[in-house]
Amino acid sequence: MTTSEPWWRDAVVYQVYPRSFADESGDGEGDLAGVISRLPYLASLGVDAIWLSPFYPSPQLDAGYDVSDPRAVDPRFGTLEDAQRMINEAHARGLRVIVDLVPNHFSTAHEWFQEALASPPGSPERARFHFREGRGPNGDEPPNNWASLFTGPSWTRVTEADGLPGQWYMNMFDSSQADLNWTNPDVVEDFHTTLRFWLDMGVDGFRVDVAFGLAKDMTYPDVPDPVGLVEGVRLDLDTGSEESQRRRDLVAGSPYMDRDEVQDIYRGWRAILDSYEGDRMAVAEAWLPPARARRYVAGDTLHQIFNFDFLMAPWDAGALARVITSTIDGLAPAPVTWALNNHDTARVATRLGGGDVGVRRARALAMLAHALPGSLYIFQGEELGLQDAEIPNERREDPVFFRSKGEQLGRDGARAPLPWSGDAPPYGFGGQHTWLPQPDGWGGLTVAAQQDDPASTLALYRASILLRRTHPGLAGDAPWRITTDRDDVIVLERGAGFVCVSNCSAGPIPAPDGMVLLSSAPLLADGSIPPDTTAWFQT
Ligand code: NOJ
């Protein structure tokens, strides 16, 4: 990185999912004291920043994304003083801190929503949310046909003061998450206050939840294909098929996703971020293709946007090369972000096939991502090569499982508490009964077990992050070029003679002339690169 560039342009950011990271209090749920105690581990991994998923007061009906007070700490995670200590101690170790901001909705336990429930239709208290009369003779039908991203209708009916069924409120996610009305000045003002609150505490940035969803068409029109629209957000990204284009078009024209007005909201935030010293930033969580994504990073709104096309891409050289090129070119001059997984998706090793093959491919894909220009987001446990945990249905927590009546298993598998040491649950996590169960057989995957093993995934991540920082050819402004003359191999050239080769084919391929810097699996005796392997060369 050149020194004039802001830190986030090529930062390695580690996602801490606080409830499953480390538990100091011993109640089976992670906490901020646990984060503080593991800061040396994070610093030794070589990351530049941590992003913490929500640790704010919450009924935890969507694992903390149902926030009931955005300017406080849930007692299960600690206190505001703990948050301040965490920020300070992270900074003392050279780590930046990004916190989650959840602006699309408040928990129905938030005092505003409780006030709205206690107030009549048409009141200013209700105007902070989307309250509407139902359709049909008795208002028994939802106000329109919009679908929740967690399945089912995106409206829930309330009981009025007279004890009778009354208005409906919008919930794009769970019914415990009431969508906020961003045309209401109270909402705008409250989030400005929240931004300043955490910026004053010293945070370096925000991850903006559902960043494309805040603005709604206030005429609330029906959509032609409600379920297709929801699927369009998550499925079939960048397959290039007609069907995926159709779904993307649905999102682009949607009355409640990716509307132009969200950019006005972010212009207001940007002014606040820019009024603080030290390159404070915001990264958008928005499942959008590059042509739409670029609007969020065009200069006067947010700084980064997650790259879900890459996150969803299969282990396929053609698909990966296409996504890499389309996202870098599509966002330029803004930098791209790369993530292999997060708390909402299957873990990368599971997604790429599971078992030994899945881990092997996950390591190879990580090394490809680590060689690309832009910034990296690593989901906790990815550096240990974890796969999704099997969660028995009676232990599931994800509202997606419940709302879909078990048709969709949901996201709990990726959220099991981290294994730190030992041979059996809780693997040094803390407590005895962890909030989600950990599998048997993670003994060889703990931090303690991998710490001194040069063949471990942890060692691979440390080495690649270090090289990423020190090799001049991997500097943020170093050039990149994909030169692939076969469709099952990616050859990525960066500056200063650095070459990255990913072998997605079924057989070995010859290595380029030069010295091996690092490889995700041992090269073969004749020096060739085995299948499902990425190797870095100095040529
Ligand atoms: C995206 C978050 O990452 C996810 O965990 C959450 O369920 C939804 N937004 C709703 O807040």
Side-chain angles (χ1 to χ4, degrees), residues 201-215:
M201 282 185 69
V203 304
D204 301 280
F206 298 90
R207 175 267 191 192
V208 182
D209 190 62
V210 203
F212 64 148
L214 278 48

Side-chain angles (χ1 to χ4, degrees), residues 160-334:
E160 303 291 0
D162 58 6
L164 295 174
Q167 286 195 306
W168 299 69
Y169 65 88
M170 188 193 300
N171 56 278
M172 262 176 74
F173 294 91
D174 188 44
S175 55
S176 64
Q177 296 161 300
D179 280 45
L180 287 159
N181 172 7
W182 273 90
T183 66
N184 185 291
D186 287 356
V187 173
V188 175
E189 187 55 37
D190 193 69
F191 273 84
H192 287 182
T193 306
T194 299
L195 287 171
R196 289 203 182 86
F197 179 87
W198 293 105
L199 289 166
D200 287 342
M201 282 185 69
V203 304
D204 301 280
F206 298 90
R207 175 267 191 192
V208 182
D209 190 62
V210 203
F212 64 148
L214 278 48
K216 275 89 182 175
D217 181 336
M218 300 300 283
T219 66
Y220 306 96
D222 275 345
V223 291
D225 179 1
V227 174
L229 173 55
V230 166
E231 286 173 353
V233 179
R234 297 209 174 223
L235 302 180
D236 266 358
L237 291 171
D238 202 61
T239 61
S241 72
E242 265 179 37
E243 176 58 10
S244 80
Q245 192 53 48
R246 187 185 77 84
R247 288 180 167 157
R248 288 177 170 215
D249 291 345
L250 284 176
V251 175
S254 156
Y256 65 108
M257 289 173 195
D258 191 30
R259 296 178 63 76
D260 294 346
E261 301 91 290
V262 293
Q263 306 303 335
D264 297 332
I265 299 171
Y266 300 140
R267 280 187 197 99
W269 296 7
R270 181 63 176 258
I272 294 175
L273 290 164
D274 286 350
S275 73
Y276 283 77
E277 294 200 332
D279 291 327
R280 315 288 177 113
M281 55 77 77
V283 52
E285 188 234 3
W287 297 63
L288 296 170
R292 307 291 299 182
R294 60 176 294 119
R295 299 165 349 124
Y296 292 71
V297 291
D300 61 345
T301 55
L302 306 178
H303 301 77
Q304 291 184 331
I305 182 163
F306 287 147
N307 181 347
F308 288 102
D309 278 7
F310 185 75
L311 193 152
M312 305 286 282
W315 176 243
D316 173 278
L320 286 166
R322 195 167 63 239
V323 171
I324 291 167
T325 306
S326 69
T327 51
I328 296 178
D329 290 348
L331 262 59

Side-chain angles (χ1 to χ4, degrees), residues 62 65 105 150 173 207 209-210 285 343-344 411 415:
D62 184 24
Y65 284 92
H105 42 263
F150 284 176
F173 294 91
R207 175 267 191 192
D209 190 62
V210 203
E285 188 234 3
H343 65 290
D344 290 330
R411 304 157 294 175
R415 300 175 176 181

Side-chain angles (χ1 to χ4, degrees), residues 328-357:
I328 296 178
D329 290 348
L331 262 59
V336 187
T337 65
W338 312 102
L340 309 185
N341 44 199
N342 64 31
H343 65 290
D344 290 330
T345 66
R347 284 192 172 278
V348 58
T350 303
R351 181 167 62 82
L352 298 184
D356 291 344
V357 170

Side-chain angles (χ1 to χ4, degrees), residues 339-473:
L340 309 185
N341 44 199
N342 64 31
H343 65 290
D344 290 330
T345 66
R347 284 192 172 278
V348 58
T350 303
R351 181 167 62 82
L352 298 184
D356 291 344
V357 170
V359 174
R360 193 179 165 95
R361 291 179 174 170
R363 289 166 59 112
L365 183 59
M367 278 192 59
L368 173 62
H370 295 193
L372 290 166
S375 140
L376 277 177
Y377 283 79
I378 295 173
F379 176 47
Q380 67 175 38
E382 178 193 321
E383 81 282 15
L384 304 176
L386 296 186
Q387 307 193 36
D388 274 10
E390 294 273 339
I391 309 286
N393 284 350
E394 64 277 12
R395 295 286 305 273
R396 289 194 184 276
E397 296 262 342
D398 188 348
V400 170
F401 175 75
F402 300 108
R403 281 181 71 93
S404 71
K405 305 200 170 44
E407 253 173 51
Q408 295 177 35
L409 292 181
R411 304 157 294 175
D412 293 317
R415 300 175 176 181
L418 284 195
W420 291 93
S421 59
D423 287 324
Y427 299 108
F429 172 74
Q432 275 310 317
H433 187 77
T434 52
W435 73 284
L436 284 175
Q438 298 164 303
D440 294 330
W442 267 7
L445 295 173
T446 64
V447 172
Q450 298 197 33
Q451 185 81 10
D452 300 315
D453 174 1
S456 68
T457 303
L458 179 55
L460 182 72
Y461 268 64
R462 283 200 173 126
S464 67
I465 293 170
L466 181 65
L467 264 170
R468 198 175 182 280
R469 177 178 287 182
T470 51
H471 194 294

